[in-house]
Amino acid sequence: MIENTALALLPVLTVLLVSVFTKRALLGLFAGTIVGAILLGGWGFFDTLVSTFGASLSNETVHWLALVVVLFGILIAYFNVSGAVSDFAKWTERFVNSRRKSLVLTWLLTVALFIDDYLNALTVGTSMKRVTDRYGVPRTLLGSIVKLTSAPIAVIIPFSTWAVFFAALLEQDGVTVNGSGFGAYVQGLPFVFFGWFALIIGLLLALGVLPLVGPLRREQLRVDRTEDTLPEGLTPEERAFELADSDTEGRRPLPYNFLIPIITLVTVTILTEVDIVKGSAAAVVVAIILYLAQKRMRIRDVFEQAFEGIMSMGYVIILFVLAFMVQQINTDLKLAEWVIGATEPVMHGALLPAIVFLVCGVYAYATGAFWDLAAVITPVVLPLAIAVGVDPVLAGTAVFSGAALGSTTCLYGDGIILASKSVGVKPLNLMLSILPYAATAGVLSFIAYLIAGFAMAS
């Protein structure tokens, strides 16, 4: 078995190259698993492939994510058949009467749902795509603003799922303020540079201050020409699902048909210690009761639309399974250990925070491992920071910023997959649209960590 060598990078490079050149994320992930299985199993690579596939299917996180996206698929199908989303879009006309306002509202909603990046990515994309469609906003631009905001706000607000996890890592490794890892995390919030820069860039993009560049500019020109906000490359079935709507012509828009299930989703999620599965299930139940009582759905529609919603999420579930296969292969090849070993010689002195951020960001982008990355590298980085006279809180924030960078950009990360599904685009299109802006935030963060490293070195 090949491990602890640069060859461990091959599966990741295969995924990225095949995905970009073929514009098929599924094909790229499958190719990466084949290459990884060959590296691990040699001539017995098929057995390795099957065992990795089995490990991915039995992964509790995959089960949890599949349940979340299935429930969201059902909820979105109910929204469509009942006209709830179109009602919400019509209702917003009294507040939103311009392209800029529609995008700023998108940014604000993503910030408001800071509790978890899955929650805001799925909810905001679903609720705002019909609103922004009215003003010729490409779905990739909508998704970019959501994704540039979702993980960054979750890592900045200390009461999110991200903050709770990262604070526990700090405490576990003995880095505390007033006796708690939470206190250390709060002290480090000003230094979560990627979160702050990405958040600001997302707002400036929504305000129209930043120009559209690269794929976003090309997509905007296409939308201006064709008046079609849905991207090219969608199947007829995908386009039909995105544009599906019930006949609500002449009917008074009822925004609470959308808002009540969403408020239920958020409230139950928070009250159940951020359990999105319970929140989503509660929202589905409330939607069924609400729409049946108003006769916007029939009993038959409850079952038919549930099936439609589940089927619409099939692509996402397959992506998740393949993504976790790649992550498992990276673990078996000991990619994290190789990256740490290769970069540890330069992780010293005032340069350490910047190098840690760079390594974590690149690794998270390449592998789709974010919390896993933090759990692996934090116990290495914090003692190293103490040993070389660097503030361990600053070094920890560099790890967390790198994880947020990866979540914001990784093609096969769960954040990109969920956000792309919520706005109705392909993960590759969304990743390529986000990259110029996330890279800008990354470069600014690297410079900020350099300055902070030298300024705070003892």
Side-chain angles (χ1 to χ4, degrees), residues 201-245:
I201 287 173
L203 177 59
L204 294 178
L205 191 58
L207 288 169
V209 174
L210 290 181
L212 301 183
V213 297
L216 272 186
R217 182 174 183 276
R218 292 192 293 272
E219 188 66 5
Q220 184 64 67
L221 291 173
R222 185 194 65 79
V223 171
D224 292 341
R225 187 177 68 252
T226 64
E227 298 184 353
D228 181 10
T229 58
L230 287 174
E232 297 173 326
L234 296 182
T235 66
E237 292 79 12
E238 288 169 330
R239 293 185 68 85
F241 185 81
E242 281 300 316
L243 298 173
D245 199 3

Side-chain angles (χ1 to χ4, degrees), residues 177-190:
V177 171
N178 296 326
S180 75
F182 181 78
Y185 191 84
V186 171
Q187 181 176 293
L189 286 180

Side-chain angles (χ1 to χ4, degrees), residues 138-293:
R139 292 288 182 88
T140 48
L141 175 55
L142 171 64
S144 296
I145 291 173
V146 169
K147 201 67 202 80
L148 279 167
T149 311
S150 60
I153 192 63
V155 83
I156 284 173
I157 301 294
F159 305 104
S160 69
T161 52
W162 283 62
V164 170
F165 178 74
F166 291 153
L169 289 180
L170 290 173
E171 187 163 331
Q172 175 182 301
D173 291 302
V175 177
T176 61
V177 171
N178 296 326
S180 75
F182 181 78
Y185 191 84
V186 171
Q187 181 176 293
L189 286 180
F191 306 109
V192 185
F193 293 124
F194 180 79
W196 293 110
F197 285 126
L199 204 61
I200 292 168
I201 287 173
L203 177 59
L204 294 178
L205 191 58
L207 288 169
V209 174
L210 290 181
L212 301 183
V213 297
L216 272 186
R217 182 174 183 276
R218 292 192 293 272
E219 188 66 5
Q220 184 64 67
L221 291 173
R222 185 194 65 79
V223 171
D224 292 341
R225 187 177 68 252
T226 64
E227 298 184 353
D228 181 10
T229 58
L230 287 174
E232 297 173 326
L234 296 182
T235 66
E237 292 79 12
E238 288 169 330
R239 293 185 68 85
F241 185 81
E242 281 300 316
L243 298 173
D245 199 3
S246 63
D247 183 13
T248 59
E249 197 65 37
R251 185 187 290 173
R252 183 170 63 90
L254 301 174
Y256 59 76
N257 276 347
F258 177 80
L259 293 174
I260 289 176
I262 292 299
I263 291 171
T264 301
L265 166 64
V266 175
T267 304
V268 174
T269 297
I270 294 172
L271 293 178
T272 56
E273 298 180 350
V274 198
D275 190 331
I276 300 177
V277 171
K278 292 178 181 176
S280 303
V284 167
V285 171
V286 167
I288 291 173
I289 295 171
L290 198 59
Y291 305 152
L292 285 177

